[in-house]
Amino acid sequence: AMIQLSIAGLFLLLFWNALGGAKGTLVAQGLFLLICMSSSVLSIKQFQLIKRFKAHVWWMTGLAALGTVALSIIASAYADSLIVNWTRIDAAQFPLAQKALSALILIALWGYVATVLISLSVGIVAFSMTVTHPAFMLETKKKHLKFKSWDQYKPGLEQRRHSRLLVTVWSGAAFTVAILLNSWVSILGHAEEGLQDVMIFASFHLHPEDCGVQGKTADTWAALVAEGRTVIATPAANGYSYETMGCKIQAVKLANAVQEH
């Protein structure tokens, strides 16, 4: 019922937007969450996924461990590449940012792999069940000579309930896959800005005035990369712009006085 009501709510919201109504972004996101959660619970119960997982947990755990090792190497390579391309400085100069970006990229890679596997599983299972378990009416139409008065057959209550359940399962799964794929499009569109924010939080702990660099805005940050050198991160259109300058560490009182001025 929750899946059917949520999908109906999405269509009503789409109709409301088509009439020029205000965009209910929070309402749509809430409906997306309800569809994903309820369809996942229904699919797990319908196909007994927990029981199947316990039966194959040994090789799935080993495969997940090997996948984590491989994806960790890829994530570290991506993190180093991003830091070098942003700052033009060796990524080893930003050890905490390197670890933070690697962890986030690893999580994103696993999430993307899980999304692809879910999408493939939904498509394969739907196709196989359609081929191996056709509906009663389709089966009788193909072999109508074996059934007397097949055209007068009316499905019973239990069969109608089972049909509605299967339709709900597949519609919920299809909407879940569509929601996940569109979410990845949105996430990847803003990933670089978010990763740069994490890098600034992890490794850029000084203000330019602490290095004797003046004329910068209050939201500009600096990071020491070597003796006498600093990287200045200035907010830009797509995150930050970086430049390397000389650094002469100022006393705390002098730096505070410059900031107040």
Side-chain angles (χ1 to χ4, degrees), residues 8-231:
L10 281 181
F11 282 111
L12 287 175
L13 190 60
L14 180 63
F15 179 70
W16 174 255
N17 291 335
L19 293 178
K23 292 184 178 180
T25 305
L26 293 178
V27 176
Q29 291 175 350
L31 292 175
F32 291 159
L33 184 61
L34 284 176
I35 291 174
C36 292
M37 292 181 62
S38 54
S39 63
S40 298
V41 172
L42 184 59
S43 298
I44 290 172
K45 181 179 179 181
Q46 178 68 20
F47 298 107
Q48 300 180 347
L49 296 182
I50 295 178
K51 180 180 179 180
R52 296 173 186 272
F53 175 78
K54 289 181 178 179
H56 303 281
V57 66
W58 60 273
W59 66 266
M60 294 179 68
T61 303
L63 187 62
L66 293 175
T68 301
V69 173
L71 292 180
S72 297
I73 297 174
I74 297 174
S76 298
Y78 269 118
D80 288 4
S81 175
L82 290 174
I83 293 174
V84 170
N85 280 280
W86 289 337
T87 64
R88 303 301 180 184
I89 299 292
D90 183 13
Q93 298 292 333
F94 308 95
L96 187 55
Q98 193 178 30
K99 294 177 182 178
L101 294 185
S102 297
L104 289 176
I105 294 173
L106 176 61
I107 294 173
L109 288 175
W110 261 124
Y112 187 77
V113 170
T115 302
V116 173
L117 292 177
I118 291 173
S119 303
L120 291 176
S121 300
V122 170
I124 292 173
V125 173
F127 177 77
S128 62
M129 288 194 68
T130 301
V131 174
T132 58
H133 297 84
F136 179 81
M137 294 304 295
L138 294 177
E139 186 69 16
T140 54
K141 287 181 179 179
K142 292 179 181 178
K143 302 177 182 179
H144 59 274
L145 294 178
K146 295 183 179 181
F147 298 92
K148 294 182 179 180
S149 304
W150 63 271
D151 54 340
Q152 297 180 6
Y153 170 79
K154 293 183 179 180
L157 180 62
E158 186 65 24
Q159 186 175 357
R160 289 198 299 269
R161 179 185 177 277
H162 184 67
S163 298
R164 287 197 302 270
L165 178 62
L166 288 181
V167 170
T168 303
V169 169
W170 294 127
S171 60
F175 270 88
T176 299
V177 169
I179 291 168
L180 291 176
L181 293 178
N182 280 279
S183 297
W184 275 112
V185 172
S186 177
I187 291 172
L188 294 177
H190 301 85
E192 186 171 352
E193 298 177 15
L195 291 176
Q196 288 193 61
D197 288 335
V198 172
M199 178 177 173
I200 298 300
F201 176 78
S203 294
F204 286 71
H205 303 146
L206 297 175
H207 288 284
E209 292 83 0
D210 297 320
C211 288
V213 179
Q214 301 182 14
K216 299 295 184 179
T217 58
D219 53 356
T220 302
W221 294 90
L224 294 175
V225 293
E227 185 177 355
R229 298 178 64 200
T230 183
V231 177

